[in-house]
Amino acid sequence: MASRRSLGWWARRLLRNFLAWVAIAFALFPALFVVGTSFNPTNNLSATRMIPDRPTLVHYRVLVRDYPFLTWLGNTVKVAGITSVVTVFLCALGAYAFSRFRFRGRRTSLLTLLLVQMFPQTLGMVAIFLLLNTLGKHLPWLGVNTHPGLILVYLGGAMGFNTWFMKGYFDTIPRSLEESALVDGATPFQAFVRVVLPLARPILAVVVVIQFITIYSEYLLASILLKGERMYTLSVGLRLFLGDNYRDRWGMFAAGAVLGALLILALFYALQSQIVSGLTGGAVKE
Amino acid sequence: MRRIPAVGTWAKGGLLALLDALVVFWCVLFAWDGRWAFLALTAGGALLLNALLLSRRAYPFRYLAPGLLFLGLMVVYPMGYTVYISFTNYATGNLLPKREAIRLLTEREIVPDPPRRFPFTGYGTPGSLYALYLRGEGEDYVLFPDGRLSAPQNHRLVFSDGVPESVDGYPQLLGRDLFPLVAQLQGRRIPYREGWLRLATLREFGFYLPQYRYDPAADTLVDQATGKVYTPREGRFVAPDGEALDPGWVETVGLANYVRFFRDPLYHGAFVRVFLWNVAWAVLSVAFSFALGLALALLLNDRGLRLRKVYRSLLIVPYALPAFISVLIWRAFFNQELGLFNQTLFSWFGVKVPWLQNVFWARFSLILTNVWLTYPYMMLVSLGALQSIPGELYEAAKVDGAGSWRRFTHVTFPLLMISVSPLLIGSFAFTFNNFTLIWLLTRGEPVVEIGSRAGATDILLSYAYKLAFEGARGNEWSMASALAVLIFLIVILVSGVSFARTRALEEVSRGL
């Protein structure tokens, strides 16, 4: 009887592992296909194979040399980097005020913020486009088809949720630590910079990375605001680059996809547990 | 006890004073130029800044102001502006204020019959034009560069061969000296009789009549040649026979844009179709990806599974990749001739599936791709929730004789839903507006109805995007804005209902 039970146990265990590997195959095959085909000498999607006979780096070389791929990647990193760093600083400031000060209008401001962040910024696309169009007539560096303009738009979109998110974290940091700093004669701002911010470093990192990943993948607003080929971010550029050219650009696209995904993949796995807890706590990544 | 202000406070005060001085200077400049909007903006901003930095009551707002500024400019203002546009007819063809449109229309000209031309000669010194002499077959004029017309008898003229040699003592200019000076008069309309004179070529002026005349009392436009009367209708001047003049102008139209989504056959069918698919899309995507995610979470939630950490890390790869890259890859897989799926299916079974060409298969492809993209999120969420269910509950159920299926349906699933359902609703709201996925995979195609902008897989947001930015009829800003407002109302409705529901669920969990 003991041996029969253990047989069933073994069978169930085998089945579980088998199912897990089936799921993993489903999860990984697109990525593996792209990595494999990026080293395959052909540029034709229908002729390429996942495991190349003669692996080559030619697609990487041509993509970087003959197309503005690195410009797109640079634009994206610049826009996403600046946005996420400024976001985290401004949201920390706001979250600190909401968490520590009691002032008239606090409750109303918090509720308004909650309501406003339910409005997906993309729904305002027409107004944002027209606003930047007008802005650009007076301040050309801030108009349509400029990176500062796009950053401005992204910054606005990032404020609501992240302020709330960080306020929740600041509420969990005991006040006693700042209070001793305040007794020693520090201003509230000094207490914020020297005591609270260092304690909040983990959440700051999470917000920066989630924000970076979100902006990195943003498509809609970038596609309506960026018009020149050299201004594109990666999402806009790669889509237009591939288009329907599956016969003569697949290998290069695959190389671009690998390069474009590497940074995000590395960031994600480096901060995996923090990001996952942040995202499953209500943040939705795209 | 009053503290003596520190050096820093003095420095701050000094900087603020300096800035204020600069602002005053700018404001004077703006007032001088008559740029009142700039003046108001600068002065208002400066006042706000001073209040923030000087008032003790406003101290917390010093922390909030920068964030609120961006939020206000790029979220709140666009929100309000979108609502405003949705109540107007703002679109290609209706972009100008009314008086601008009237000005452009009344500047349209016709050549009178018979046409009249005025060849001219110029007088002055090289580099400086004194006057032109216009010869109009017995009706000659002296024209000054500021547009003043004068009769020849008012001037001292010395003629030779019917052309003056000098005007008021200024000699005739040679062609090469004259042309650059005359070029400055290009486009200038000099009022003459019931029309105007304007440079027709570099050697002669022409006489033109306005095609339309505006009657401010009746607010009508009258065609001078045919006598046709155009009355304003829906932002354009329209003749009784239905002919409408471009450009039109911007005006508020009340709820007309919204009504069109429910009445106008051009938009109504598309709106209903897109809305239904949009709901189905979000529901099915979330349901399937949650089912898969939960199944995998149950699979991994077995402590006997030795590689579960590794499995988990591998299974969340789709979530870690930038979505736009994954979607472009999936689009390639679905390609009818060259894609991986059809190549495999063809070599094994000799069939090809029209993945992105057929309505059903295009929708299937979208949902499949989205399940692949989002099941890791569902798995992570479910894993977290599963681990928070107390083990005693299972023991109790086991004692009561419940089998593993009954334990799942009666203990695990209900408890799981309490913590997971708010996230499912968030996920629904996100999927509902997941433009990137739709746009990069199918672009809303295939086309189902000739003439309509919306395809079979368009969601409301991508339909709005098409109306606004991709139109065959130009930019339908107002219709796109009205659609955006409708989407927002739907989002609010879903969030409101779900908020009420989740509160109810929380109460259930407290009762346990």
Side-chain angles (χ1 to χ4, degrees), chain A residues 13 16-17 21 26-27 34 46 90 119 121 123 152 189 223 239 244 246 250 269 272 279 285-286, chain B residues 63 70 74 79 299 302 311-313 316 319 323 329 331-332 335 343 372 375 430 440 443 465 484:
Chain A
R13 195 166 157 177
R16 271 178 186 262
N17 279 295
W21 281 109
F26 174 64
V34 165
S46 64
L90 294 185
F119 179 83
Q121 198 189 15
L123 291 186
L152 189 68
F189 185 72
S223 82
R239 175 177 178 271
D244 279 324
Y246 296 117
W250 177 259
Y269 278 97
Q272 189 184 344
L279 290 169
K285 155 195 171 272
E286 190 46 49
Chain B
Y63 292 77
F70 287 115
M74 284 302 161
M79 236 162 104
L299 191 73
D302 176 359
Y311 289 167
R312 200 189 84 140
S313 296
I316 59 175
Y319 194 45
I329 296 168
R331 182 175 159 84
N335 187 281
Q343 295 238 321
W372 183 86
Y375 83 83
F430 179 77
L440 295 193
R443 265 185 159 253
Y465 182 94

Side-chain angles (χ1 to χ4, degrees), chain B residues 29-99:
Chain B
L29 280 188
F30 289 145
W32 192 267
D33 288 352
R35 297 162 88 174
W36 302 113
F38 272 58
L39 177 73
L41 223 65
T42 315
L47 278 178
L48 214 64
L49 188 71
N50 277 289
L52 271 178
L53 293 182
L54 296 177
S55 156
R56 287 192 75 83
R57 280 262 283 306
Y59 183 76
F61 285 97
R62 282 186 218 173
Y63 292 77
L64 297 175
L68 290 182
L69 180 73
F70 287 115
L71 190 75
L73 188 65
M74 284 302 161
V75 180
V76 179
Y77 172 77
M79 236 162 104
Y81 194 36
T82 303
V83 173
Y84 167 72
I85 297 173
S86 77
F87 291 121
T88 69
N89 61 350
Y90 199 51
T92 300
N94 295 79
L95 297 171
L96 303 167
K98 187 171 178 181
R99 67 189 144 68

Side-chain angles (χ1 to χ4, degrees), chain B residues 267-282:
Chain B
Y267 298 95
H268 176 63
F271 175 73
V272 171
R273 180 158 40 77
V274 170
F275 174 75
L276 291 177
W277 156 243
N278 200 348
V279 173
W281 147 250

Side-chain angles (χ1 to χ4, degrees), chain A residues 84-195:
Chain A
S84 49
V85 168
V86 176
T87 296
V88 78
F89 186 70
L90 294 185
C91 290
L93 264 179
Y96 180 71
F98 279 130
S99 172
R100 293 301 195 260
F101 304 138
R102 293 293 173 268
F103 52 93
R104 200 192 294 170
R106 178 176 173 274
R107 251 184 75 83
T108 330
S109 314
L110 271 171
L111 281 175
T112 316
L113 207 61
L114 187 70
L115 271 178
V116 165
Q117 64 104 4
M118 273 171 28
F119 179 83
Q121 198 189 15
T122 45
L123 291 186
M125 59 189 173
V126 170
I128 288 172
F129 176 79
L130 296 173
L131 172 64
L132 250 68
N133 218 355
T134 314
L135 259 183
K137 281 184 192 139
H138 302 289
L139 306 167
W141 56 274
L142 207 58
V144 169
N145 201 22
T146 65
H147 291 148
L150 187 64
I151 291 172
L152 189 68
V153 173
Y154 286 153
L155 276 179
M159 287 301 141
F161 174 78
N162 289 314
T163 305
W164 258 92
F165 188 62
M166 288 169 92
K167 176 196 168 288
Y169 189 84
F170 286 170
D171 285 343
T172 67
I173 299 178
R175 275 159 179 259
S176 50
L177 292 164
E178 299 150 67
E179 267 154 15
S180 61
L182 290 174
V183 168
D184 288 348
T187 64
F189 185 72
Q190 285 166 338
F192 166 67
V193 172
R194 301 213 184 121
V195 180

Side-chain angles (χ1 to χ4, degrees), chain B residues 404-435:
Chain B
S404 60
W405 176 247
R406 273 184 72 85
R407 263 179 282 150
F408 174 73
T409 54
H410 283 74
V411 180
T412 315
F413 194 70
L415 283 173
L416 192 78
M417 285 311 282
I418 293 167
S419 50
V420 168
S421 55
L423 298 174
L424 290 186
I425 288 154
S427 187
F428 173 87
F430 179 77
T431 310
F432 194 83
N433 286 324
N434 192 341
F435 174 85

Side-chain angles (χ1 to χ4, degrees), chain B residues 180-197:
Chain B
L181 295 169
V182 165
Q184 293 163 12
L185 283 169
Q186 210 151 24
R188 182 93 171 251
R189 284 145 196 259
I190 294 121
Y192 177 70
R193 303 240 165 119
E194 59 275 19
W196 54 78
L197 300 178

